[in-house]
Amino acid sequence: MSLPAVAMRGVDLSLGRGAARVHILRDVGLTIAKGEAVGIVGPSGSGKSTLLMIMAGLERPDRGEVAVDGVSLGTLGEDALARFRGARIGIVFQSFHLIPTMTALENVAAPLELAGQRNAFAPARDELEQVGLSDRLSHYPAQLSGGEQQRVALARALSPNPSLLIADEPTGNLDEETGRAIMDLIFALPARRGATLALVTHDPALAARCDRIIRMRSGAVEDAPLVTA
Ligand code: ADP
Ligand code: MG
């Protein structure tokens, strides 16, 4: 029996100060198996993005436990957590977050160089080829379309060969056809490497392509199936 890709138990988080303090996650527990593709859905403001931040170790919970690949994130200091994230977790956001002064190739090579890999450009080139961008290596983000920028962001997220890919509404800024092509890659590339996918999406058709759906409501995981009136 292998360890789950993600295991959360009793996760609670509040953010903001004083009267503006918001209880965002309430006693969240979930398990995602290795290699599983999970869709996380729920109304706007229900805590989906915050849940992903906790899963990625970008936000620490007030209470509860989070383990990725069997490693309890709470036991890691900031440097160890950053190294762990860099090696094991890839993240893509709705807005692409590329570094504007770097070419596509440099953007994808950056996390590999950060991890101390020599000659990061060869694997970065391979990654860009897998997302269909072999002919855009020297382009800067501003010279690329939205869909192309998201392909670069995906190549960057996957370049360290993470065991977990986290995607927060990755096609939210793209037109339907472009979004569909990106989603085909987001489902295919991690699956081909045996990696796990945690995808937040508003799109029922995308959620339906996942192995399983986790529903959030008011900061909690809603186990009961939705009853439509
Ligand atoms: P979703 O992704 O499901 O739309 P979020 O996780 O972004 O939801 O946000 C959940 C709730 O937490 C929202 O009510 C949001 O306003 C609140 N929230 C998110 N970040 C902060 C923050 N840094 N400080 C205070 N409240 C926040
Ligand atoms: Mg969100």
Side-chain angles (χ1 to χ4, degrees), residues 35-89:
E36 198 176 18
V38 165
I40 299 163
V41 304
S44 180
S46 60
K48 303 181 299 295
S49 293
T50 309
L51 178 72
L52 292 188
M53 297 292 277
I54 295 264
M55 205 180 279
L58 289 165
E59 193 77 67
R60 298 215 190 236
D62 298 328
R63 260 189 306 282
E65 285 182 26
V66 185
V68 173
D69 281 349
V71 175
S72 174
L73 301 189
T75 65
L76 303 178
E78 289 308 314
D79 288 354
L81 182 58
R83 276 196 304 275
F84 180 83
R85 190 190 306 119
R88 308 277 190 99
I89 304 174

Side-chain angles (χ1 to χ4, degrees), residues 38-205:
V38 165
I40 299 163
V41 304
S44 180
S46 60
K48 303 181 299 295
S49 293
T50 309
L51 178 72
L52 292 188
M53 297 292 277
I54 295 264
M55 205 180 279
L58 289 165
E59 193 77 67
R60 298 215 190 236
D62 298 328
R63 260 189 306 282
E65 285 182 26
V66 185
V68 173
D69 281 349
V71 175
S72 174
L73 301 189
T75 65
L76 303 178
E78 289 308 314
D79 288 354
L81 182 58
R83 276 196 304 275
F84 180 83
R85 190 190 306 119
R88 308 277 190 99
I89 304 174
I91 312 175
V92 283
F93 299 97
Q94 183 171 344
S95 45
F96 321 118
H97 292 299
L98 297 175
I99 298 172
T101 54
M102 289 185 175
T103 64
L105 186 64
E106 288 164 350
N107 265 283
V108 177
L112 297 173
E113 287 177 333
L114 214 71
Q117 190 162 328
R118 296 176 72 91
N119 190 15
F121 287 120
R125 201 174 287 121
D126 287 348
E127 244 8 284
L128 281 162
E129 189 182 339
Q130 294 205 32
V131 298
L133 281 187
S134 292
D135 53 351
R136 295 286 189 278
L137 303 182
S138 305
H139 284 57
Y140 288 89
Q143 301 171 313
L144 298 169
S145 71
E148 287 168 342
Q149 288 183 61
Q150 192 62 305
R151 283 172 197 261
V152 176
L154 179 61
R156 176 180 60 181
L158 292 174
S159 65
N161 239 332
S163 53
L164 172 65
L165 179 68
I166 287 175
D168 194 352
E169 302 191 39
T171 58
N173 278 342
L174 304 174
D175 65 73
E176 205 179 316
E177 196 180 325
T178 307
R180 202 175 309 122
I182 296 285
M183 280 316 306
D184 286 347
L185 290 168
I186 287 182
F187 280 112
L189 296 180
R192 198 178 294 163
R193 306 164 191 214
T196 306
L197 173 67
L199 167 74
V200 164
T201 179
H202 274 129
D203 184 343

